[in-house]
Amino acid sequence: MKRLMLVVSLLAGLCAGACDPDGGSAVLAEALIGPEGGVLESPDGRVRLEVPAGALAESKRLTVAEREAVADFLPGSLFEFTPDGTEFAVPATLRVAYAAEALPAGADTSLLTLGKLIEFEGEQLVLTHGAPAVDPAKRTIAASIDGFSSHGGTAVAHIPCASFSGTITATYQPDRTIDVAWQSPLSTALVEVARLTNVVAGTPGALTPRESDYQPWIQWAAGSRTAIYPAGDDAALLYFRVRPRCGQTLGQPSAPAMVTVFGKPRLPHAPQGLRATASAHDEVTLEWTADAWADHHELERTVDGLTWKTYPRLGGQQSSFTDRGDLTAQTRYIYRIRALNSLGQSPWAQVAVNTPAPGAAPAPSGLLASAVSPTAVYLEWSVDATKVDAVEITRQSANGAPAVVTVVPNTQLNYEDTGLTPDTAWVYTLTSRRGGQPGAAASVNVATPPLPTVGGPGGSTTTTCEHFDITLSPGVAKPTVGAPALVDITIARKGGFSDGLALMVEGFCEGRLPLCEFGYMSFCADGECGAYTGIVAPGQTKTRLRVEVDFVIEGGFSTVLEIVDPAYPNCRAQLPVEVK
């Protein structure tokens, strides 16, 4: 079976010869780097990461550890960076030294490159970084990187074959499909797609996808062929690219082929991820993600829930607003916002926040919330420990009063709230404390998913959508080590809808104990399984999801996956996963 294993599963599999007794690689260096930039460098100078100003929005503790060389990596050149998933808004420069005696006899140093390690079908493969700069005199190699990808460690690799590349084209068809064709001089290739839906259609080139936006679409297909991608109904910018495979190395991605898809007009969705931060006693900042079909936003504020202050209309693609001037210290405000276009308006999104006393402790920053099960929410944040003693966590449902959940010390930067009601919208407010006095606060919206509706043989669940229904059987996946969970996915088209679907799994890298830390998902058809995407062609009705785990922590864990075709983002089948 072919697979592209996610990083923590891979690292766990390699721990026997490369890790501490505690389970991690030996850390060479660490550095707290913030928006002003900084340098992470090992004491012996073998690895150096230069992070420019503006690359990070907030301070992060970056670490680098050495790993035992595998695959095409030169000895002493494989390093692991954390925290995994870190992204740089401005590319950082990674520089690694290599030993001349480690090179194969007669090796051409111009073929050295920086790469990321992944695992595929039991092999260690190298996914190369772009545009490396080799300095034979100093015996170093450098390249720009956008972050620490989920593919894993970064190292110097010796590429055992000549330079290679691929080309790809994408053509939009009247039936809302995209014909994709690619060429590669080698026998196999990986085709990737980035689908940007939160954009304004008709602006080609206005947005460029990040590295993390690309997802595998077709893996290890013949070097030259064609395929059809369903465009869906929503407006989007689609980018396609191909990576040829050479031995154990994945080549540089081709120049992307971009297609603009104009969406079918619809009502805008409510603003997503609404957050409020009281940065001062008279200042509140709101942040949200705008829908592509929003022409403008309406924003209102209240204290008593009865009388609302209305603000001038905001732009349709505006994603933040700072309210200042007429706010009162130590007051609880409720904000609500909705999106509008010519077809109507979205539901309101709402959040509450408390303003602090003048000069009070600053609010927690970077507050994030994710529902890790129908009854649990995981929170994480950052604080300035020199100005904050503790953080008070409060939650509130739509129809309930605020309730204090707990108070944690300034050294604790995450919390899992359990025993919640499924299928409920919650507002969490985190208030800084100093000297026993409440300070500034930050709030965030999150919703727990419903419990699965179990019925019929195997306990199937059905999600009803506009164009089709998705039935999962069984409705809960319970994989164990060595015994993957197999979930049959049945598509029932309706109302004349006949398009094919490209199903993907989302949510496996979100929240506490995400599934990507312990296993991986693959879709199976005709006895073959391929990671990430399951194609249900026109006329077909079924595919199968395979959920596997490599090891289980003590006590197990649970999470919720979402099965969705990105072309139809509002139709999401939720699959609870229980790992024991």
Side-chain angles (χ1 to χ4, degrees), residues 267 293 295-296 340-344:
L267 285 173
W293 282 103
D295 290 338
H296 50 265
L340 298 89
N341 64 13
S342 60
L343 298 179

Side-chain angles (χ1 to χ4, degrees), residues 177-530:
T177 62
I178 299 171
D179 289 341
V180 182
W182 64 92
Q183 293 185 343
S184 165
L186 304 168
S187 60
T188 57
L190 168 68
V191 182
E192 300 170 305
V193 60
R195 183 183 184 95
L196 307 184
T197 56
N198 190 35
V199 299
V200 179
T203 56
L207 290 176
T208 300
R210 300 168 300 178
E211 186 70 25
S212 59
D213 291 325
Y214 282 99
Q215 297 293 332
W217 174 36
I218 297 176
Q219 295 196 63
W220 319 126
S224 300
R225 59 170 284 190
T226 61
I228 296 175
Y229 185 89
D233 289 342
D234 288 342
L237 291 179
L238 294 167
Y239 293 80
F240 299 88
R241 68 186 190 184
V242 62
R243 290 180 183 269
R245 179 181 176 186
C246 176
Q248 287 185 310
T249 301
L250 299 180
Q252 295 293 329
S254 66
M258 190 197 76
V259 174
T260 302
V261 176
F262 292 88
K264 295 180 180 180
R266 58 165 171 78
L267 285 173
H269 302 313
Q272 299 296 305
L274 179 60
R275 294 187 295 173
T277 303
S279 48
H281 72 280
D282 59 352
E283 180 175 292
V284 171
T285 298
L286 302 171
E287 299 175 282
W288 64 91
T289 299
D291 183 73
W293 282 103
D295 290 338
H296 50 265
H297 290 95
E298 289 183 347
L299 176 65
E300 297 182 350
R301 185 190 80 194
T302 186
V303 173
D304 56 13
L306 300 174
T307 304
W308 293 85
K309 173 185 176 178
T310 300
Y311 294 82
R313 282 186 168 182
L314 307 177
Q317 296 310 299
Q318 188 169 339
S319 59
S320 64
F321 176 79
T322 299
D323 188 18
R324 60 168 64 94
D326 67 338
L327 297 171
T328 302
Q330 297 179 286
T331 302
R332 182 173 182 270
Y333 290 98
I334 300 173
Y335 290 85
R336 66 183 185 184
I337 185 171
R338 65 183 178 183
L340 298 89
N341 64 13
S342 60
L343 298 179
Q345 67 233 0
S346 76
W348 291 101
Q350 184 169 298
V351 70
V353 67
N354 301 313
T355 55
S365 60
L367 175 60
L368 296 174
S370 56
V372 294
S373 78
T375 60
V377 167
Y378 179 70
L379 303 165
E380 57 183 340
W381 63 90
S382 298
V383 295
D384 184 345
T386 64
K387 300 178 181 179
V388 175
D389 298 334
V391 174
E392 179 185 270
I393 302 176
T394 303
R395 72 162 178 263
Q396 180 182 18
S397 64
N399 299 318
V404 176
V405 177
T406 187
V407 177
V408 299
N410 59 5
T411 55
Q412 183 173 338
L413 301 177
N414 56 66
Y415 182 78
E416 183 171 351
D417 191 18
T418 59
L420 302 176
T421 304
D423 196 19
T424 303
W426 305 94
V427 175
Y428 282 86
T429 299
L430 273 65
T431 303
S432 295
R433 288 182 168 273
R434 181 169 59 188
Q437 298 300 312
S443 297
V444 64
N445 276 351
V446 65
T448 47
L451 289 170
T453 302
V454 179
S460 62
T461 66
T462 298
T463 300
T464 301
C465 302
E466 179 181 0
H467 299 297
F468 52 89
D469 295 342
I470 304 176
T471 298
L472 306 179
S473 182
V476 179
K478 299 181 179 181
T480 59
V481 176
L486 301 178
V487 179
D488 287 322
I489 303 174
T490 303
I491 303 297
R493 297 172 178 83
K494 54 188 179 181
F497 179 82
S498 61
D499 290 356
L501 299 175
L503 301 176
M504 295 184 178
V505 179
E506 297 182 355
F508 56 87
C509 282
E510 298 173 0
R512 180 174 181 265
L513 300 180
L515 192 60
C516 64
E517 295 187 6
F518 301 94
Y520 62 97
M521 281 62 61
S522 58
F523 287 90
C524 306
D526 300 325
E528 291 290 327
C529 297

Side-chain angles (χ1 to χ4, degrees), residues 78-158:
L78 180 55
F79 301 97
E80 174 189 343
F81 293 86
T82 62
D84 179 55
T86 297
E87 293 184 354
F88 300 128
V90 180
T93 299
L94 176 64
R95 190 179 311 277
V96 180
Y98 64 89
E101 59 272 16
L103 292 173
D108 183 353
T109 56
S110 66
L111 297 181
L112 287 174
T113 187
L114 287 177
K116 291 173 282 189
L117 181 68
I118 63 173
E119 183 173 282
F120 171 73
E121 207 170 34
E123 300 176 75
Q124 282 78 44
L125 301 180
V126 179
L127 184 66
T128 59
H129 287 297
V134 180
D135 187 335
K138 295 182 179 180
R139 296 175 183 171
T140 61
I141 179 170
S144 296
I145 63 171
D146 295 326
F148 307 153
S149 120
S150 61
H151 290 296
T154 300
V156 174
H158 174 64

